[in-house]
Every structure is written in C-alpha cells, then in structure tokens.
Coordinates of all heavy atoms in Angstrom, one line a residue:
M1 N -40.8 265.5 -77.7 CA -42.0 265.8 -78.5 C -43.3 265.4 -77.7 O -44.2 266.2 -77.6 CB -42.0 265.1 -79.8 CG -43.2 265.4 -80.6 SD -43.2 267.1 -81.2 CE -44.5 267.1 -82.4
S2 N -43.2 264.3 -77.0 CA -44.4 263.8 -76.3 C -44.6 264.7 -75.0 O -45.8 264.9 -74.6 CB -44.3 262.4 -75.9 OG -43.2 262.1 -75.1
V3 N -43.5 265.2 -74.4 CA -43.7 266.1 -73.3 C -44.4 267.4 -73.7 O -45.3 267.9 -72.9 CB -42.3 266.4 -72.7 CG1 -42.4 267.4 -71.6 CG2 -41.6 265.1 -72.2
I4 N -44.1 267.9 -74.9 CA -44.8 269.1 -75.3 C -46.2 268.8 -75.6 O -47.1 269.6 -75.2 CB -44.1 269.6 -76.6 CG1 -42.7 270.1 -76.3 CG2 -44.9 270.8 -77.2 CD1 -41.8 270.4 -77.5
L5 N -46.5 267.7 -76.2 CA -47.9 267.3 -76.5 C -48.7 267.2 -75.2 O -49.9 267.6 -75.1 CB -48.0 266.0 -77.3 CG -47.7 266.2 -78.8 CD1 -47.7 264.8 -79.4 CD2 -48.8 267.0 -79.4
I6 N -48.1 266.5 -74.2 CA -48.8 266.3 -72.9 C -49.0 267.7 -72.2 O -50.1 267.9 -71.7 CB -48.0 265.4 -72.0 CG1 -48.0 263.9 -72.6 CG2 -48.5 265.4 -70.6 CD1 -47.1 263.0 -72.0
T7 N -48.0 268.6 -72.2 CA -48.1 269.9 -71.6 C -49.2 270.7 -72.2 O -50.1 271.3 -71.6 CB -46.8 270.6 -71.6 OG1 -45.8 269.8 -71.0 CG2 -46.8 271.9 -70.9
V8 N -49.2 270.8 -73.6 CA -50.2 271.6 -74.3 C -51.6 271.0 -74.1 O -52.6 271.7 -73.9 CB -49.8 271.7 -75.8 CG1 -50.9 272.3 -76.6 CG2 -48.6 272.5 -75.9
G9 N -51.6 269.6 -74.2 CA -52.9 269.0 -74.1 C -53.5 269.2 -72.7 O -54.7 269.4 -72.6
L10 N -52.7 269.0 -71.7 CA -53.2 269.2 -70.3 C -53.6 270.7 -70.0 O -54.7 270.9 -69.4 CB -52.2 268.8 -69.3 CG -52.1 267.3 -69.1 CD1 -50.9 267.0 -68.1 CD2 -53.4 266.6 -68.6
A11 N -52.8 271.6 -70.5 CA -53.2 273.0 -70.3 C -54.5 273.4 -71.0 O -55.3 274.1 -70.4 CB -52.0 273.9 -70.8
A12 N -54.6 273.0 -72.3 CA -55.8 273.3 -73.0 C -57.0 272.6 -72.4 O -58.1 273.2 -72.3 CB -55.7 272.9 -74.5
T13 N -56.9 271.3 -72.0 CA -58.0 270.6 -71.5 C -58.5 271.2 -70.1 O -59.7 271.4 -69.9 CB -57.7 269.1 -71.3 OG1 -57.3 268.6 -72.6 CG2 -58.8 268.3 -70.8
L14 N -57.5 271.5 -69.3 CA -57.8 272.1 -68.0 C -58.5 273.5 -68.1 O -59.5 273.8 -67.4 CB -56.6 272.1 -67.1 CG -56.1 270.8 -66.6 CD1 -54.8 270.9 -65.8 CD2 -57.1 270.0 -65.8
S15 N -57.9 274.3 -69.0 CA -58.5 275.6 -69.1 C -59.9 275.5 -69.8 O -60.8 276.3 -69.4 CB -57.6 276.5 -70.0 OG -57.5 276.1 -71.3
G16 N -60.1 274.5 -70.7 CA -61.4 274.3 -71.3 C -62.4 273.9 -70.3 O -63.6 274.3 -70.2
C17 N -62.0 272.9 -69.4 CA -62.9 272.5 -68.4 C -63.3 273.6 -67.4 O -64.4 273.7 -66.9 CB -62.3 271.3 -67.6 SG -62.2 269.8 -68.6
A18 N -62.3 274.4 -67.0 CA -62.6 275.5 -66.1 C -63.6 276.5 -66.8 O -64.4 277.1 -66.1 CB -61.3 276.3 -65.8
A19 N -63.5 276.7 -68.1 CA -64.4 277.6 -68.8 C -65.8 277.0 -68.8 O -66.8 277.7 -68.7 CB -63.9 277.9 -70.2
V20 N -65.9 275.7 -69.0 CA -67.2 275.1 -69.1 C -67.9 275.1 -67.8 O -69.1 275.4 -67.6 CB -67.1 273.6 -69.7 CG1 -68.4 272.9 -69.5 CG2 -66.7 273.7 -71.1
V21 N -67.2 274.7 -66.7 CA -67.8 274.5 -65.4 C -67.9 275.9 -64.7 O -69.0 276.2 -64.1 CB -66.9 273.5 -64.5 CG1 -67.5 273.5 -63.1 CG2 -66.9 272.2 -65.2
L22 N -66.9 276.7 -64.7 CA -66.9 277.9 -63.9 C -67.1 279.2 -64.7 O -67.2 280.2 -64.1 CB -65.5 278.0 -63.1 CG -65.1 276.8 -62.2 CD1 -63.7 277.0 -61.7 CD2 -66.1 276.7 -61.1
R23 N -67.1 279.0 -66.0 CA -67.2 280.2 -66.9 C -66.0 281.1 -66.7 O -66.1 282.3 -66.8 CB -68.5 281.0 -66.8 CG -69.7 280.2 -67.2 CD -70.9 281.0 -67.2 NE -72.1 280.2 -67.6 CZ -73.2 280.8 -67.9 NH1 -73.4 282.0 -67.8 NH2 -74.2 280.0 -68.3
W24 N -64.9 280.5 -66.4 CA -63.6 281.3 -66.2 C -62.9 281.3 -67.5 O -62.8 280.3 -68.2 CB -62.7 280.6 -65.2 CG -61.4 281.2 -65.0 CD1 -61.1 282.3 -64.2 CD2 -60.2 280.8 -65.7 NE1 -59.8 282.6 -64.4 CE2 -59.2 281.7 -65.3 CE3 -59.9 279.9 -66.6 CZ2 -57.9 281.7 -65.7 CZ3 -58.6 279.8 -67.1 CH2 -57.6 280.7 -66.6
L25 N -62.4 282.5 -67.8 CA -61.5 282.7 -69.0 C -60.2 283.3 -68.6 O -60.1 284.0 -67.6 CB -62.2 283.7 -70.0 CG -63.4 283.2 -70.7 CD1 -64.1 284.3 -71.5 CD2 -63.1 282.1 -71.7
P26 N -59.1 283.0 -69.4 CA -57.9 283.7 -69.1 C -58.1 285.2 -69.2 O -58.9 285.7 -70.0 CB -56.9 283.2 -70.2 CG -57.5 281.9 -70.6 CD -59.0 282.0 -70.4
P27 N -57.4 286.0 -68.4 CA -57.6 287.4 -68.3 C -57.5 288.1 -69.7 O -58.2 289.0 -70.0 CB -56.5 287.9 -67.4 CG -56.2 286.8 -66.6 CD -56.4 285.6 -67.4
W28 N -56.6 287.6 -70.6 CA -56.4 288.3 -71.9 C -57.6 288.0 -72.9 O -57.7 288.6 -73.9 CB -55.1 287.9 -72.5 CG -54.9 286.4 -72.7 CD1 -55.3 285.7 -73.8 CD2 -54.4 285.5 -71.8 NE1 -55.0 284.4 -73.7 CE2 -54.4 284.2 -72.5 CE3 -53.8 285.6 -70.6 CZ2 -53.9 283.1 -71.9 CZ3 -53.3 284.4 -70.0 CH2 -53.4 283.2 -70.6
L29 N -58.5 287.0 -72.5 CA -59.6 286.7 -73.4 C -60.9 287.2 -72.8 O -62.0 287.1 -73.5 CB -59.7 285.2 -73.6 CG -58.6 284.5 -74.4 CD1 -58.8 283.0 -74.4 CD2 -58.7 285.1 -75.8
S30 N -61.0 287.7 -71.6 CA -62.2 288.1 -71.0 C -63.1 289.1 -71.8 O -64.3 289.0 -71.7 CB -62.0 288.5 -69.6 OG -61.2 289.7 -69.6
G31 N -62.5 290.0 -72.5 CA -63.3 290.9 -73.2 C -63.6 290.5 -74.7 O -64.3 291.2 -75.4
H32 N -63.0 289.4 -75.1 CA -63.1 289.0 -76.5 C -64.0 287.8 -76.8 O -64.4 287.6 -77.9 CB -61.7 288.7 -77.1 CG -60.8 289.9 -77.0 ND1 -60.9 291.0 -77.8 CD2 -59.7 290.1 -76.1 CE1 -59.9 291.8 -77.5 NE2 -59.2 291.3 -76.5
V33 N -64.3 287.0 -75.7 CA -65.1 285.8 -75.9 C -66.5 286.1 -75.3 O -66.6 286.4 -74.2 CB -64.4 284.6 -75.2 CG1 -65.3 283.4 -75.3 CG2 -63.1 284.3 -75.9
A34 N -67.5 285.9 -76.2 CA -68.9 286.2 -75.7 C -69.5 284.9 -75.0 O -70.3 285.1 -74.2 CB -69.7 286.6 -76.9
R35 N -69.1 283.7 -75.4 CA -69.6 282.5 -74.9 C -68.5 281.6 -74.3 O -67.9 280.8 -75.0 CB -70.4 281.8 -76.0 CG -71.5 282.5 -76.5 CD -72.1 281.8 -77.8 NE -73.0 282.7 -78.5 CZ -72.6 283.5 -79.5 NH1 -71.3 283.5 -79.8 NH2 -73.4 284.3 -80.1
P36 N -68.3 281.8 -73.0 CA -67.2 281.0 -72.4 C -67.3 279.5 -72.4 O -66.4 278.8 -72.6 CB -67.2 281.5 -70.9 CG -67.9 282.8 -70.9 CD -68.9 282.7 -72.0
R37 N -68.6 279.0 -72.3 CA -68.8 277.6 -72.4 C -68.4 277.0 -73.7 O -67.8 275.9 -73.8 CB -70.2 277.2 -72.0 CG -70.4 277.4 -70.5 CD -71.7 276.8 -70.0 NE -71.7 276.9 -68.6 CZ -72.8 276.8 -67.9 NH1 -74.0 276.6 -68.5 NH2 -72.8 276.9 -66.6
A38 N -68.8 277.7 -74.8 CA -68.4 277.2 -76.1 C -66.9 277.3 -76.3 O -66.3 276.3 -76.9 CB -69.1 278.1 -77.2
W39 N -66.3 278.3 -75.8 CA -64.8 278.4 -75.9 C -64.2 277.2 -75.1 O -63.2 276.6 -75.5 CB -64.3 279.7 -75.3 CG -62.9 279.9 -75.4 CD1 -62.2 280.4 -76.5 CD2 -61.9 279.6 -74.4 NE1 -60.8 280.4 -76.2 CE2 -60.6 279.9 -75.0 CE3 -62.0 279.1 -73.2 CZ2 -59.5 279.8 -74.2 CZ3 -60.8 278.9 -72.4 CH2 -59.6 279.3 -73.0
G40 N -64.8 276.9 -73.9 CA -64.3 275.8 -73.1 C -64.4 274.5 -73.8 O -63.5 273.7 -73.7
I41 N -65.5 274.3 -74.4 CA -65.7 273.0 -75.2 C -64.6 272.9 -76.3 O -64.1 271.8 -76.5 CB -67.1 272.9 -75.7 CG1 -68.1 272.7 -74.6 CG2 -67.2 271.8 -76.7 CD1 -69.5 272.8 -75.0
G42 N -64.4 274.0 -77.0 CA -63.4 274.0 -78.0 C -62.0 273.8 -77.5 O -61.3 273.0 -78.1
M43 N -61.6 274.4 -76.4 CA -60.3 274.2 -75.9 C -60.1 272.8 -75.3 O -59.1 272.1 -75.5 CB -60.0 275.2 -74.8 CG -59.7 276.6 -75.3 SD -58.3 276.6 -76.5 CE -57.0 276.2 -75.5
A44 N -61.2 272.2 -74.7 CA -61.1 270.9 -74.2 C -61.0 269.9 -75.4 O -60.2 268.9 -75.3 CB -62.3 270.5 -73.4
G45 N -61.7 270.1 -76.5 CA -61.5 269.3 -77.6 C -60.1 269.3 -78.2 O -59.6 268.3 -78.6
I46 N -59.6 270.5 -78.3 CA -58.2 270.6 -78.9 C -57.2 270.0 -77.9 O -56.3 269.3 -78.3 CB -57.9 272.1 -79.2 CG1 -58.7 272.5 -80.4 CG2 -56.4 272.3 -79.4 CD1 -58.7 274.0 -80.7
G47 N -57.4 270.2 -76.6 CA -56.5 269.5 -75.7 C -56.6 268.0 -75.7 O -55.5 267.3 -75.6
L48 N -57.8 267.5 -75.8 CA -57.9 266.0 -75.9 C -57.3 265.5 -77.2 O -56.7 264.4 -77.2 CB -59.4 265.6 -75.8 CG -60.0 265.8 -74.4 CD1 -61.5 265.5 -74.5 CD2 -59.3 264.9 -73.4
F49 N -57.4 266.3 -78.3 CA -56.8 265.9 -79.5 C -55.3 265.8 -79.4 O -54.6 264.9 -79.8 CB -57.2 266.8 -80.7 CG -56.5 266.5 -82.0 CD1 -56.9 265.5 -82.8 CD2 -55.4 267.3 -82.4 CE1 -56.2 265.2 -83.9 CE2 -54.7 267.0 -83.6 CZ -55.2 265.9 -84.4
A50 N -54.7 266.8 -78.7 CA -53.3 266.9 -78.5 C -52.8 265.7 -77.6 O -51.8 265.1 -77.9 CB -52.8 268.2 -77.9
L51 N -53.6 265.4 -76.6 CA -53.2 264.2 -75.8 C -53.4 262.9 -76.6 O -52.6 262.0 -76.3 CB -54.1 264.2 -74.5 CG -53.9 265.3 -73.5 CD1 -54.9 265.2 -72.4 CD2 -52.5 265.1 -72.9
G52 N -54.3 262.9 -77.5 CA -54.5 261.7 -78.3 C -53.3 261.4 -79.3 O -53.2 260.4 -79.9
Q53 N -52.5 262.5 -79.5 CA -51.4 262.4 -80.4 C -50.1 261.9 -79.8 O -49.1 261.7 -80.5 CB -51.2 263.7 -81.2 CG -52.3 264.2 -82.0 CD -52.8 263.1 -82.9 OE1 -52.1 262.6 -83.7 NE2 -54.1 262.8 -82.9
V54 N -50.1 261.7 -78.5 CA -49.0 261.2 -77.8 C -48.7 259.8 -78.4 O -49.6 259.0 -78.5 CB -49.2 261.1 -76.2 CG1 -48.1 260.5 -75.5 CG2 -49.5 262.5 -75.7
P55 N -47.5 259.5 -78.7 CA -47.2 258.3 -79.5 C -47.8 257.0 -78.9 O -48.3 256.1 -79.6 CB -45.7 258.2 -79.5 CG -45.3 259.6 -79.4 CD -46.3 260.3 -78.5
S56 N -47.7 256.8 -77.6 CA -48.2 255.6 -77.0 C -49.7 255.5 -77.1 O -50.3 254.4 -77.4 CB -47.8 255.4 -75.5 OG -48.3 256.5 -74.8
L57 N -50.4 256.6 -76.9 CA -51.9 256.6 -77.1 C -52.3 256.5 -78.5 O -53.3 255.9 -78.9 CB -52.5 257.9 -76.5 CG -52.4 258.0 -75.0 CD1 -52.9 259.4 -74.5 CD2 -53.2 256.9 -74.3
H58 N -51.5 257.1 -79.4 CA -51.8 257.1 -80.8 C -51.8 255.7 -81.4 O -52.6 255.3 -82.2 CB -50.8 258.0 -81.6 CG -51.2 258.3 -83.0 ND1 -52.4 259.0 -83.3 CD2 -50.7 257.9 -84.2 CE1 -52.5 259.1 -84.6 NE2 -51.4 258.5 -85.2
E59 N -50.8 254.9 -81.0 CA -50.7 253.5 -81.4 C -51.9 252.7 -80.9 O -52.5 251.9 -81.7 CB -49.4 252.9 -80.9 CG -48.2 253.4 -81.6 CD -46.9 252.9 -81.0 OE1 -47.0 252.0 -80.1 OE2 -45.9 253.4 -81.4
R60 N -52.4 252.9 -79.7 CA -53.5 252.2 -79.2 C -54.8 252.6 -79.9 O -55.7 251.7 -80.2 CB -53.7 252.5 -77.7 CG -52.7 251.8 -76.8 CD -52.9 252.1 -75.4 NE -51.8 251.5 -74.6 CZ -51.7 251.7 -73.3 NH1 -52.7 252.4 -72.6 NH2 -50.8 251.2 -72.6
I61 N -54.9 253.8 -80.3 CA -56.1 254.3 -81.0 C -56.1 253.7 -82.4 O -57.2 253.2 -82.9 CB -56.2 255.8 -81.1 CG1 -56.5 256.4 -79.7 CG2 -57.2 256.3 -82.1 CD1 -56.3 257.9 -79.6
E62 N -55.0 253.6 -83.1 CA -54.9 253.1 -84.4 C -55.2 251.6 -84.4 O -55.7 251.0 -85.3 CB -53.6 253.4 -85.1 CG -53.5 254.8 -85.5 CD -52.1 255.1 -86.2 OE1 -51.2 254.3 -86.1 OE2 -52.0 256.2 -86.8
D63 N -54.7 250.9 -83.3 CA -54.9 249.4 -83.2 C -56.4 249.1 -83.0 O -56.8 247.9 -83.2 CB -54.0 248.8 -82.2 CG -52.5 248.9 -82.5 OD1 -52.3 249.0 -83.7 OD2 -51.7 248.7 -81.6
A64 N -57.2 250.0 -82.5 CA -58.6 249.7 -82.2 C -59.4 249.6 -83.4 O -60.5 249.1 -83.3 CB -59.1 250.8 -81.2
G65 N -59.0 250.1 -84.5 CA -59.8 249.9 -85.8 C -60.0 251.3 -86.4 O -59.7 252.3 -85.9
P66 N -60.6 251.3 -87.6 CA -60.7 252.5 -88.4 C -61.7 253.5 -87.8 O -61.5 254.7 -87.9 CB -61.2 252.0 -89.8 CG -61.8 250.7 -89.5 CD -61.0 250.1 -88.4
V67 N -62.7 253.0 -87.1 CA -63.7 253.9 -86.5 C -63.0 254.7 -85.3 O -63.2 255.9 -85.2 CB -65.0 253.2 -86.1 CG1 -65.9 254.1 -85.3 CG2 -65.7 252.6 -87.3
A68 N -62.3 253.9 -84.5 CA -61.6 254.5 -83.4 C -60.5 255.5 -83.8 O -60.2 256.4 -83.1 CB -61.1 253.5 -82.4
A69 N -59.9 255.2 -85.0 CA -58.9 256.1 -85.5 C -59.4 257.4 -85.9 O -58.7 258.4 -85.9 CB -58.1 255.4 -86.6
A70 N -60.7 257.4 -86.3 CA -61.3 258.7 -86.7 C -61.8 259.6 -85.5 O -62.0 260.7 -85.7 CB -62.5 258.4 -87.6
V71 N -61.9 259.0 -84.4 CA -62.4 259.7 -83.2 C -61.6 260.9 -82.9 O -62.1 262.0 -82.6 CB -62.6 258.8 -82.0 CG1 -62.8 259.5 -80.7 CG2 -63.7 257.8 -82.2
P72 N -60.2 260.9 -82.8 CA -59.5 262.1 -82.5 C -59.8 263.2 -83.5 O -59.8 264.4 -83.1 CB -58.0 261.7 -82.6 CG -58.0 260.2 -82.4 CD -59.3 259.7 -83.0
F73 N -60.0 262.9 -84.7 CA -60.2 264.0 -85.7 C -61.6 264.6 -85.5 O -61.9 265.8 -85.7 CB -60.0 263.5 -87.1 CG -58.6 263.1 -87.3 CD1 -58.2 261.8 -87.4 CD2 -57.6 264.1 -87.4 CE1 -56.9 261.5 -87.5 CE2 -56.3 263.8 -87.6 CZ -55.9 262.5 -87.6
V74 N -62.6 263.8 -85.1 CA -63.9 264.3 -84.8 C -63.8 265.2 -83.6 O -64.5 266.2 -83.5 CB -64.9 263.1 -84.5 CG1 -66.2 263.6 -84.0 CG2 -65.1 262.3 -85.8
V75 N -63.0 264.8 -82.6 CA -62.8 265.6 -81.4 C -62.2 267.0 -81.8 O -62.5 268.0 -81.3 CB -62.0 264.9 -80.3 CG1 -61.6 265.8 -79.2 CG2 -62.8 263.7 -79.8
L76 N -61.2 266.9 -82.7 CA -60.5 268.1 -83.2 C -61.5 269.1 -83.9 O -61.6 270.3 -83.6 CB -59.4 267.8 -84.1 CG -58.7 269.0 -84.8 CD1 -58.0 269.9 -83.7 CD2 -57.7 268.6 -85.8
V77 N -62.4 268.5 -84.8 CA -63.3 269.3 -85.5 C -64.4 269.9 -84.5 O -64.8 271.1 -84.6 CB -64.0 268.5 -86.6 CG1 -65.2 269.2 -87.2 CG2 -63.0 268.2 -87.7
A78 N -64.8 269.1 -83.5 CA -65.7 269.6 -82.5 C -65.1 270.8 -81.7 O -65.7 271.8 -81.4 CB -66.2 268.5 -81.6
G79 N -63.8 270.6 -81.4 CA -63.1 271.7 -80.7 C -63.0 272.9 -81.5 O -63.2 274.0 -81.0
L80 N -62.7 272.8 -82.7 CA -62.6 274.0 -83.6 C -63.9 274.7 -83.8 O -64.1 275.9 -83.8 CB -62.0 273.6 -85.0 CG -60.5 273.2 -84.9 CD1 -60.1 272.7 -86.3 CD2 -59.6 274.3 -84.5
A81 N -65.0 273.8 -83.9 CA -66.3 274.4 -84.0 C -66.7 275.1 -82.7 O -67.3 276.2 -82.7 CB -67.4 273.3 -84.3
G82 N -66.3 274.6 -81.5 CA -66.6 275.3 -80.3 C -65.9 276.6 -80.2 O -66.5 277.6 -79.8
L83 N -64.7 276.7 -80.7 CA -64.0 278.0 -80.7 C -64.6 278.9 -81.7 O -64.7 280.1 -81.4 CB -62.5 277.8 -81.1 CG -61.6 277.1 -80.0 CD1 -60.2 276.9 -80.5 CD2 -61.6 277.9 -78.7
A84 N -65.1 278.4 -82.8 CA -65.7 279.3 -83.8 C -67.0 279.9 -83.3 O -67.4 281.0 -83.5 CB -66.0 278.5 -85.1
F85 N -67.8 279.0 -82.6 CA -69.1 279.5 -82.0 C -69.0 280.3 -80.8 O -70.0 280.8 -80.3 CB -70.0 278.3 -81.8 CG -70.5 277.7 -83.1 CD1 -70.4 276.3 -83.3 CD2 -71.1 278.5 -84.1 CE1 -70.8 275.8 -84.5 CE2 -71.5 277.9 -85.3 CZ -71.4 276.5 -85.5
S86 N -67.8 280.4 -80.2 CA -67.6 281.2 -79.0 C -67.8 282.7 -79.3 O -68.1 283.5 -78.4 CB -66.3 280.9 -78.3 OG -65.2 281.4 -79.1
G87 N -67.7 283.1 -80.5 CA -68.1 284.4 -80.9 C -67.0 285.4 -80.6 O -66.0 285.2 -79.9
G88 N -67.2 286.6 -81.2 CA -66.2 287.7 -80.9 C -66.7 288.5 -79.8 O -67.1 288.0 -78.8
R89 N -66.6 289.8 -80.0 CA -67.1 290.7 -78.9 C -68.6 290.6 -78.7 O -69.3 290.3 -79.6 CB -66.7 292.1 -79.3 CG -65.2 292.3 -79.4 CD -64.8 293.7 -79.7 NE -63.4 293.8 -79.9 CZ -62.6 294.4 -79.1 NH1 -63.1 295.0 -78.0 NH2 -61.3 294.4 -79.2
R90 N -69.0 291.0 -77.5 CA -70.4 291.0 -77.2 C -71.1 292.1 -78.0 O -70.6 293.2 -78.1 CB -70.6 291.1 -75.7 CG -70.1 289.9 -75.0 CD -70.3 290.1 -73.5 NE -69.9 288.9 -72.8 CZ -69.3 288.9 -71.7 NH1 -69.1 290.0 -71.0 NH2 -68.9 287.8 -71.1
R91 N -72.3 291.8 -78.5 CA -73.0 292.8 -79.2 C -73.7 293.7 -78.2 O -74.2 293.3 -77.2 CB -74.1 292.1 -80.1 CG -73.5 291.3 -81.2 CD -74.6 290.7 -82.0 NE -73.9 289.9 -83.0 CZ -74.6 289.0 -83.7 NH1 -75.9 288.8 -83.5 NH2 -74.0 288.3 -84.6
S92 N -73.6 295.0 -78.5 CA -74.3 295.9 -77.6 C -75.8 296.0 -77.9 O -76.2 295.8 -79.0 CB -73.7 297.3 -77.7 OG -73.8 297.8 -79.0
R93 N -76.5 296.2 -76.9 CA -78.0 296.3 -77.1 C -78.3 297.7 -77.7 O -77.7 298.7 -77.4 CB -78.7 296.2 -75.7 CG -78.5 294.8 -75.2 CD -79.4 294.7 -73.9 NE -79.2 293.4 -73.4 CZ -79.8 292.9 -72.3 NH1 -80.5 293.8 -71.6 NH2 -79.6 291.7 -71.9
P94 N -79.3 297.7 -78.6 CA -79.6 299.0 -79.2 C -80.2 300.0 -78.1 O -80.9 299.6 -77.2 CB -80.7 298.7 -80.2 CG -81.2 297.3 -79.9 CD -80.1 296.7 -79.1
T95 N -79.8 301.2 -78.3 CA -80.3 302.2 -77.3 C -81.7 302.7 -77.8 O -82.0 302.7 -79.0 CB -79.4 303.4 -77.3 OG1 -79.2 304.0 -78.6 CG2 -78.0 303.0 -76.7
R96 N -82.5 303.0 -76.8 CA -83.9 303.5 -77.2 C -84.0 305.0 -77.1 O -83.4 305.7 -76.5 CB -84.8 302.9 -76.2 CG -84.9 301.4 -76.3 CD -85.9 300.8 -75.4 NE -86.0 299.4 -75.6 CZ -86.9 298.6 -75.1 NH1 -87.8 299.1 -74.3 NH2 -86.9 297.4 -75.3

C-alpha cells in the first residue's frame, strides 16, 4: 500500500511542479486545461497529500499535535481548489 502511495504521490507532485514551473501539461490535458499553473498547484497538493498518508510519515504528523495533523487536509483542499480553478476549455474571444 505504501509503495502505491509513494508512486502516486511522486507522480502527481512531479507533474504538478512541471506544470507550475514550465507550464507543461500531459498531452491528453493540453486542450482541456486553461490555466496550467493552477492545475499544477492542484496536482502538487494532491501529490503531497498522498505522500503524507504513507504510514511512517502519517504517524510523525499525528505525533506533532492537532494543528500539524490538520495540515495534510489543508493541502488536500488547496490541491482540489487548484484543480477546480484550472478551468475547462479556453473561452474564445468574441468576433467583431
């Protein structure tokens, strides 16, 4: 289970960082995402949340106290918000 979490977390975090820094999107998303940086922030947030659920890291986060235990869920919500704000298709400009 932890191998899957690490794999998904690393893949999402790396693709999110590539979208934020380079504005790179996977080929199947290039026509559907209007704001690559917002999508990248969302994917990085979801990837970091997945990495935070690895059992060894999860125990350390819970031992740090109630505020630190809430941080992964704040990162998850920020990631989901980033994906939501990345938008759908680009709006076309009105013709004159």
Side-chain angles (χ1 to χ4, degrees):
M1 179 70 169
S2 63
V3 173
I4 294 171
L5 283 172
I6 292 171
T7 304
V8 169
L10 285 176
T13 303
L14 292 175
S15 66
C17 290
V20 170
V21 175
L22 305 173
R23 292 188 181 189
W24 174 85
L25 289 172
W28 60 88
L29 290 177
S30 62
H32 301 285
V33 175
R35 296 173 195 90
R37 287 191 174 162
W39 183 86
I41 291 170
M43 284 306 291
I46 290 173
L48 291 173
F49 176 78
L51 289 174
Q53 299 307 307
V54 175
S56 61
L57 292 174
H58 191 67
E59 291 173 7
R60 289 182 183 175
I61 291 171
E62 286 181 347
D63 290 342
V67 174
V71 169
F73 296 104
V74 172
V75 170
L76 175 65
V77 170
L80 292 174
L83 289 178
F85 289 128
S86 67
R89 295 180 185 249
R90 295 183 177 141
R91 296 181 183 165
S92 61
R93 294 185 180 178
T95 57
R96 295 184 179 186

